[in-house]
Amino acid sequence: MSGAAALAADERLAAYDFGPGHPFQAGRLAAGLSLLRAAKVLDDGDLLRFEPAADADLELVHDRDYLAAVARFADPGAAAADPVGAARFGLVGDNRPFPGMDEAARLVAGATAAAVDAVAAGDRTHVFAPVAGLHHAQRRRAVGFCLVNDVAVAIARRTRTSPLRVLYVDLDAHHGDGVQAAFYDDPRVCTVSLHETGRYLFPGTGEVHELGRPPGTGRSLNVPLEPRTGDEEFLAAFDAVVEPLAAAFRPDLLVTQNGCDGHAGDPLSDLTLSLRGYRDLARRLHRLAHRHCRGRWVATGGGGYDLERVVPRAWALLWSELSGRRLPSRVPPSWLAGHPGPAWWVEPRRRRREDGPAGTREMEERNRRTVRAVRRLALPPSVRVVYPLAASGGTTQRLPGWEPRAGRYLAPRGPLVLRDRCPASLLRRLEVDPGIHTFVRAAEQEREVLARIAEEPASEVAVAHTPEGVVVGYVAVLEPEPGTRFASLPGLLEVGAVEVATGWRRGGVASALLGFAVEPDPFEDRILVASGLAWHWDLDQSGLSASAYRGVLARVFEAAGFEVLQTDEPEIAYHPANLFVARVGGRVPPARRAAFTSRLVRGHHPMP
Ligand SMILES: [Zn+2]
Ligand SMILES: [Zn+2]
């Protein structure tokens, strides 16, 4: 599965060392590289050449006076002479200045930049930069052992000059706050961080509702996990969020931060992953890179502070995955002689207890709630249906059948055919107008999403297409995601998408198509709701204000017999463009209607 892989590290990086007693020290590099050599999975030809990063590159992410401070305080004695000056830039405490730190930080940034360059240019398929992923560094402040944000610098250098779309996946136990901040308003760099919740762990950020800023709204994702989260829950969160995100965002390049400080043995976090979990995560990232990024993958080492037992093994497992080199069955005794520990690469498999320690169930349930919230906020419903949660438990039964219908609508731009109950085979034969791109970039991909929705037993797709067979709009009616409040009410369906291609908007297509889609008689037995959450992350490009956009949505739904209602669903309150609409079918029994109202509706929403 691998092309040529490379390792962006050499002994020069040992200079990045906060000194004895500090968690981030040169011993990490020595232990890791010596293990790769002892295991005979690293040759000199695997090493990628790199040079210290240039000022011009660092200044894409950092202020000049901060960089000057890092240089000034790299002189021994400078910080002692001006402790207040050093503290102003965060160069204090955990980030205390050390001699030569300027050059050391530039080397780290240079390694990551060379890695990204080699992969973006196609010289190497995958590159691993183990001493890299300094994800906390801010524009003008050293934070959390991170002097420069090598990842942000390396990404910014490429995206400045080429139209690359980058997916950054951060698996470190700590929130990847610095990288998120660097691209918070950038629609071309999508960051997703899985980490221990900031309620308990540094840096305290990384909440679900940190979603980016225009024009990058919806392109910063965070999955804050509970203390004691282990392999199983972490992997489930990854599968539920990162895989569909990659499918929808369609990146050109995958950059990952593979910090292993979420390991149970790590002194700095409360997560309980194992090396087995990290190996499985590496496999998933590798597969994701080939599926969605043409293989292009740069992995950085990130955090990890169990220097003897965890970090070298985690690096070896990651390098083995990315390079295709097989590790020997046991950790080489020659290496163990200098690094006492077990001979296994991953912990022996333990039987999972039926009933973990008190609080395990609660931890799992809280994590599931978090994952569902992230999916609702950041993934369009159509993508969620194609990438469902593993858990089942929906209560909606399949709609009774009706004969597929066709209708006509004369849009200002030309005649359209409206169709419902489209079989997947038909959808796969139609073209999709490239102006349909709420989230999924490629028309090809959009068509496949539509076809997959049509294959779901409880989902319906209606489309508007030109006489030539080009889809310019669609409505998806979906079963609510299991575990959500919507799913807990029987007979409720969600209008998950009303989408019209850019060139066909403002011609009444959305209203006509929605009206057509919800017309069939079986919908009289159902409550249809829509919440307009993630479909409008293209709001930034629409040129409409949030309230104007909300007004457009409200009018489209009202024309199809929906009412705008008030609800206390927190995700709807989150953004001013969100709205909550419902249409209760004429044959919905009164008890069901009452249950819906009492659980979800807080009154009628006054529209401006
Ligand atoms: Zn590969
Ligand atoms: Zn960390």
Side-chain angles (χ1 to χ4, degrees):
M1 198 157 154
S2 294
L7 190 88
D10 60 37
E11 280 69 16
R12 288 176 296 168
L13 290 167
Y16 198 91
D17 185 350
F18 287 93
H22 192 285
F24 206 118
Q25 49 176 281
R28 303 169 88 237
L29 174 71
L33 287 188
S34 64
L35 178 56
L36 297 183
R37 294 201 188 274
K40 299 193 169 36
V41 291
L42 182 68
D43 302 325
D44 288 342
D46 298 326
L47 297 177
L48 192 72
R49 290 175 52 88
F50 61 92
E51 298 304 328
D55 281 339
D57 292 339
L58 296 174
E59 284 171 13
L60 292 171
V61 170
H62 296 286
D63 282 353
R64 197 170 288 177
D65 60 342
Y66 169 67
L67 296 169
V70 173
R72 186 163 80 247
F73 292 109
D75 278 339
D82 181 13
V84 176
R88 197 149 52 88
F89 294 102
L91 298 167
V92 65
D94 278 348
N95 314 306
R96 60 188 178 233
F98 57 85
M101 68 175 177
D102 174 41
E103 190 66 8
R106 283 169 187 276
L107 267 174
V108 173
T112 312
V116 168
D117 283 354
V119 170
D123 299 338
R124 305 277 189 158
T125 314
H126 316 312
V127 178
F128 177 33
V131 183
L134 304 177
H135 61 166
H136 296 307
Q138 301 283 346
R139 178 161 279 280
R140 45 184 299 110
R141 199 171 173 81
V143 185
F145 320 156
C146 302
L147 296 174
V148 293
N149 203 312
D150 59 302
V151 173
V153 169
I155 293 173
R157 289 171 78 240
R158 295 303 302 196
T159 53
R160 186 189 41 161
T161 53
S162 66
L164 282 184
R165 288 159 64 95
V166 181
L167 176 63
Y168 170 73
V169 180
D170 191 317
L171 305 179
D172 194 278
H174 304 90
H175 175 222
D177 56 343
V179 182
Q180 174 178 294
F183 303 107
Y184 207 51
D185 59 358
D186 189 336
R188 290 195 291 135
V189 180
C190 181
T191 66
V192 52
S193 177
L194 287 79
H195 48 261
E196 180 177 341
T197 165
R199 295 202 312 279
Y200 301 104
L201 194 67
F202 176 88
T205 50
E207 283 306 306
V208 166
H209 286 164
E210 293 169 30
L211 282 165
R213 205 179 30 234
T217 315
R219 298 286 154 79
S220 295
L221 275 72
N222 288 287
V223 188
L225 298 163
E226 297 299 308
R228 295 198 300 104
T229 293
D231 292 344
E232 201 171 318
E233 301 82 32
F234 200 96
L235 288 161
F238 181 97
D239 291 341
V241 173
V242 183
E243 180 73 28
L245 178 69
F249 181 64
R250 300 274 286 184
D252 303 297
L253 171 68
L254 174 67
V255 178
T256 62
Q257 206 271 24
N258 291 68
C260 55
D261 44 7
H263 189 278
D266 194 281
L268 295 197
S269 88
D270 313 298
L271 302 181
T272 60
L273 276 80
S274 72
L275 286 158
R276 188 178 291 279
Y278 284 113
R279 186 192 59 190
D280 292 349
L281 285 163
R283 284 182 184 158
R284 280 165 161 80
L285 290 172
H286 193 185
R287 193 176 61 200
L288 189 144
H290 282 281
R291 251 187 215 162
H292 303 294
C293 315
R294 285 179 280 168
R296 295 164 169 177
W297 176 26
V298 172
T300 61
Y305 306 99
D306 184 335
L307 304 193
E308 294 293 329
R309 293 167 68 97
V310 177
V311 177
R313 286 175 178 77
W315 287 5
L317 292 164
L318 181 55
W319 169 246
S320 164
E321 177 66 39
L322 168 149
S323 65
R325 306 273 167 77
R326 277 177 79 97
L327 293 169
S329 58
R330 322 265 298 162
V331 176
S334 60
W335 187 82
L336 287 174
H339 305 84
W344 40 247
W345 294 103
V346 302
E347 294 85 348
R349 196 181 285 281
R350 255 178 308 172
R351 232 171 347 118
R352 191 173 165 81
R353 277 164 302 186
E354 283 299 315
D355 214 17
T360 299
R361 297 272 302 265
E362 194 187 325
M363 174 270 284
E364 291 170 349
E365 185 45 41
R366 278 168 175 266
N367 282 339
R368 275 197 289 270
R369 270 208 299 274
T370 299
V371 164
R372 286 196 298 261
V374 175
R375 282 168 61 91
R376 283 191 68 76
L377 287 166
L379 299 176
S382 50
V383 173
R384 277 188 267 137
V385 168
V386 176
Y387 291 87
L389 286 173
S392 61
T395 50
T396 307
Q397 295 115 33
R398 187 177 190 151
L399 282 171
W402 71 85
E403 284 301 307
R405 301 172 306 141
R408 304 211 164 266
Y409 179 70
L410 188 60
R413 243 186 97 173
L416 291 172
V417 180
L418 312 179
R419 286 185 190 281
D420 68 358
R421 303 234 111 178
C422 291
S425 56
L426 169 69
L427 290 169
R428 289 197 172 96
R429 284 201 308 276
L430 296 169
E431 302 284 311
V432 173
D433 188 292
I436 292 188
H437 56 60
T438 300
F439 201 94
V440 179
R441 178 171 51 149
E444 191 69 11
Q445 178 88 0
E446 191 84 47
R447 176 169 61 186
E448 187 54 28
V449 166
L450 291 178
R452 297 266 293 274
I453 297 171
E455 284 166 350
E456 288 294 316
S459 302
E460 296 293 336
V461 181
V463 298
H465 67 78
T466 64
E468 294 76 33
V470 179
V471 175
V472 302
Y474 73 90
V475 168
V477 180
L478 313 165
E479 188 168 25
E481 183 143 291
T484 58
R485 273 168 83 184
F486 291 169
S488 68
L489 287 161
L492 187 138
L493 289 170
E494 196 173 359
V495 179
V498 179
E499 208 177 332
V500 175
T502 35
W504 290 80
R505 289 178 192 167
R506 298 176 193 214
V509 179
S511 299
L513 181 57
L514 179 64
F516 173 81
V518 300
E519 209 171 58
D521 183 66
F523 287 118
E524 293 302 316
D525 296 308
R526 295 287 188 271
I527 299 172
L528 294 172
V529 299
S531 56
L533 283 172
W535 343 321
H536 51 249
W537 291 140
D538 68 339
L539 181 59
D540 300 339
Q541 277 88 44
S542 71
L544 294 173
S545 69
S547 67
Y549 196 100
R550 189 174 180 281
V552 170
L553 285 177
R555 279 193 292 282
V556 166
F557 278 97
E558 280 172 338
F562 287 74
E563 275 185 286
V564 180
L565 299 168
Q566 261 181 341
T567 178
D568 57 4
E569 281 289 277
E571 290 147 13
I572 290 161
Y574 165 68
H575 195 278
N578 288 340
L579 84 174
F580 181 60
V581 296
R583 196 188 82 157
V584 181
R587 290 194 302 268
V588 171
R592 193 175 280 180
R593 179 190 293 254
F596 166 71
T597 304
S598 72
R599 283 164 75 176
L600 282 164
V601 180
R602 298 291 166 264
H604 290 256
H605 201 282
M607 283 303 293

